[in-house]
Amino acid sequence: MNLKLAICDDEMSDMKILTTHIEHYNIESNDNIIVSTFSSGTKLLQAHKATPFDIVLLDIEMPETDGMQLAKLLRDIDDHLYIIFTTSYPEYMQNSFEVQPFQFLTKPISYDTIHRLFMNIIKKMNRNSLTIIVVDDDNEEYFISLNDIYYVSTAKEKKAHIKYHLADHAVLTKGTVKNIESNLMTHGFVSPDRGILVNISKIQTLNTSRILLKNGIELPISRRRYKNIEKMYANHIIQLIDR
């Protein structure tokens, strides 16, 4: 697997250690991690806009734009980016939930830690690459990655049809939410209300009456289902931090 990775750290010695670990990983594995290094968050942001990275390792404490600010800017333009914080101060972890980092690494960072990190990232990428095929009423086939689906809902305007809602459009196809529910719920989807399945990784916030998705869509949530979904969402966030 070829992956583009950026390291942003104002400490050259720390950046060199990470680069050496990644070179070691490339030798041991069949993967090819292509590394770019930056001492400035502004330069990394510009580079990512031009040619997006798959993974970024961000030092939190940096002059000008710190790692947390930089992560917010990156997350605003890239929902799928793997953000990993590196720091000597683990107390920053509690402030990182908003940008949904994949992991939080405490310096000094060992090779074993980097090896586990990439194994977990690649495992998740393989899991998220699962694709479903849906056919609309015109017999057009759509290959849709589960990771691109924000939610699925019953199509109110057409009987026995459902909609797969992506970031900025929806695909209408024959079927029922009930028939696909068991399959999608094994891949991180939850049902906040009747006739709706939500990709838990697309949730921005939730409360007792509604779910706000990362694309700005609000969906209803049943009060009796709120506590269970809140717990599942909290576990999802914790897993992102602990990986």
Side-chain angles (χ1 to χ4, degrees):
M1 181 177 289
N2 295 315
L3 296 172
K4 291 185 61 182
L5 177 144
I7 302 171
C8 192
D9 198 318
D10 62 324
E11 292 290 337
M12 296 304 295
S13 58
D14 289 340
M15 194 144 52
K16 186 175 181 180
I17 289 171
L18 287 173
T19 303
T20 301
H21 288 337
I22 295 168
E23 289 173 351
H24 183 185
Y25 174 83
N26 279 337
I27 293 171
E28 282 198 345
S29 70
N30 292 322
D31 301 311
N32 181 32
I33 314 295
I34 303 166
V35 180
S36 299
T37 58
F38 302 86
S39 57
S40 160
T42 302
K43 291 181 179 179
L44 167 56
L45 188 62
Q46 291 173 345
H48 183 71
K49 288 179 178 178
T51 308
F53 295 101
D54 301 299
I55 308 164
V56 293
L57 273 66
L58 306 178
D59 181 32
I60 289 184
E61 288 199 324
M62 292 188 294
E64 299 178 6
T65 306
D66 66 29
M68 202 68 71
Q69 292 173 317
L70 177 58
K72 290 176 182 178
L73 294 171
L74 289 166
R75 185 58 79 211
D76 283 343
I77 61 175
D78 193 334
D79 191 47
H80 302 301
L81 180 65
Y82 286 78
I83 297 174
I84 294 94
F85 287 119
T86 64
T87 182
S88 300
Y89 304 95
E91 59 268 23
Y92 283 117
M93 184 184 297
Q94 62 184 0
N95 298 323
S96 67
F97 286 93
E98 183 179 349
V99 296
Q100 297 194 5
F102 182 77
Q103 198 162 345
F104 203 101
L105 306 181
T106 303
K107 296 179 180 181
I109 299 170
S110 69
Y111 171 70
D112 287 342
T113 298
I114 290 297
H115 186 272
R116 285 194 300 271
L117 170 69
F118 288 125
M119 293 294 287
N120 287 331
I121 286 176
I122 291 166
K123 180 179 179 181
K124 184 173 182 181
M125 283 182 169
N126 288 335
R127 185 168 65 244
N128 286 346
S129 66
L130 290 171
T131 299
I132 59 173
I133 302 173
V134 299
V135 181
D136 67 12
D137 284 350
D138 296 322
N139 289 321
E140 290 287 334
E141 286 190 348
Y142 293 84
F143 293 79
I144 303 176
S145 168
L146 293 183
N147 193 52
D148 291 336
I149 300 171
Y150 278 69
Y151 69 103
V152 183
S153 67
T154 298
K156 296 180 181 179
E157 70 274 23
K158 202 161 190 179
K159 187 177 180 180
H161 279 67
I162 55 177
K163 286 183 176 180
Y164 290 88
H165 299 264
L166 310 182
D168 54 6
H169 70 285
V171 177
L172 179 69
T173 184
K174 292 179 181 178
T176 65
V177 168
K178 184 177 180 180
N179 286 342
I180 64 170
E181 184 171 3
S182 60
N183 182 37
L184 289 186
M185 290 184 93
T186 63
H187 296 293
F189 284 72
V190 295
S191 178
D193 205 0
R194 185 176 179 181
I196 301 174
L197 292 170
V198 174
N199 187 341
I200 203 164
S201 70
K202 302 301 185 184
I203 296 176
Q204 183 69 41
T205 60
L206 73 161
N207 59 33
T208 55
S209 63
R210 65 104 175 104
I211 289 175
L212 175 65
L213 300 182
K214 293 177 181 178
N215 62 350
I217 297 295
E218 291 190 0
L219 298 172
I221 182 170
S222 166
R223 286 186 175 273
R224 66 184 180 84
R225 300 186 188 187
Y226 170 71
K227 286 189 178 296
N228 184 49
I229 293 177
E230 180 189 39
K231 183 178 179 181
M232 293 173 68
Y233 179 64
N235 287 337
H236 168 71
I237 296 298
I238 291 170
Q239 288 173 8
L240 291 177
I241 299 297
D242 287 343
R243 283 182 180 136

